[in-house]
Amino acid sequence: MHPHLQSALTQRCALKIISGLNNFNPDHVIAVVKAAEQGGATFVDIAADPKLIRKVRQSISLPICVSAVEPQKFVEAVAAGADVIEIGNFDSFYAQGRQFSAAEVLELTHHTRSLLPTTPLSVTVPHILDLDQQVQLAGQLVEAGANLIQTEGGTSSHPRHAGTLGLIEKAGPTLAAAYEIARSVNVPVLCASGLSNVTAPLAIAAGASGIGVGSAINRLNDELAMIAAVRGLVESMSAAVQSTVS
């Protein structure tokens, strides 16, 4: 694994900024990843498109993770310069009525590992599964070769309040998954989907080695606002790590 990413995971302060599995707009993606780097993020997550990967590689020095649900795409992505591959970002499919079963995610993992046996692999555990099923699947994914497990759940939560309470409500499903899975596997867990600077420290306290944030950054239209948002996440995570150490 990329030394910069490995170090951040070990220190439990990894921050991944997600531009979107289906975001192929090069101008927008470049703006997001540049803001991620300037704001202090650890790595970025983009679509598994070779042309896009090469553009991003020319624009930043951060490790690049690519997301897809088609294993063959990873082969071309790694050849184009991707550092990490990820089966996931399922959130973008739920609105289309597309869901992923435990068996399908496990099969995708086996297929991906047969194509790329040594490339660092992250796999998302679908939040549509019951929590005990998520824990069981996470263990199976690690046995199949996953180096990193990611949780999700922002799209399944329905906050009833505004402000801080609403942000905590929104992050509830992914935080719960991170708490349970982190105690059952021996690889780093990345908590993602529905997180903010309010809930990032809760993810670290739950046992996650880092967080993934997408819409909270990429929905912003101003690059300075993106940078400020990334810095806010970095600062909130840093405070959380310091409190756990002390």
Side-chain angles (χ1 to χ4, degrees), residues 23-53:
N23 184 359
F24 299 98
N25 181 329
D27 292 336
H28 184 257
V29 172
I30 294 301
V32 171
V33 300
K34 283 186 174 180
E37 183 166 60
Q38 293 178 53
T42 309
F43 65 133
V44 296
D45 188 331
I46 66 174
D49 177 76
K51 291 182 179 179
L52 186 61
I53 295 166

Side-chain angles (χ1 to χ4, degrees), residues 28 41 47 60 68 70 101 151 164 170 172 194 199:
H28 184 257
I60 62 170
E70 300 168 59
S101 67
T151 64
T164 299
K170 185 172 182 60
T199 50

Side-chain angles (χ1 to χ4, degrees), residues 188-200:
V189 173
L190 202 72
C191 187
S193 184
L195 296 179
S196 64
N197 62 336
V198 170
T199 50

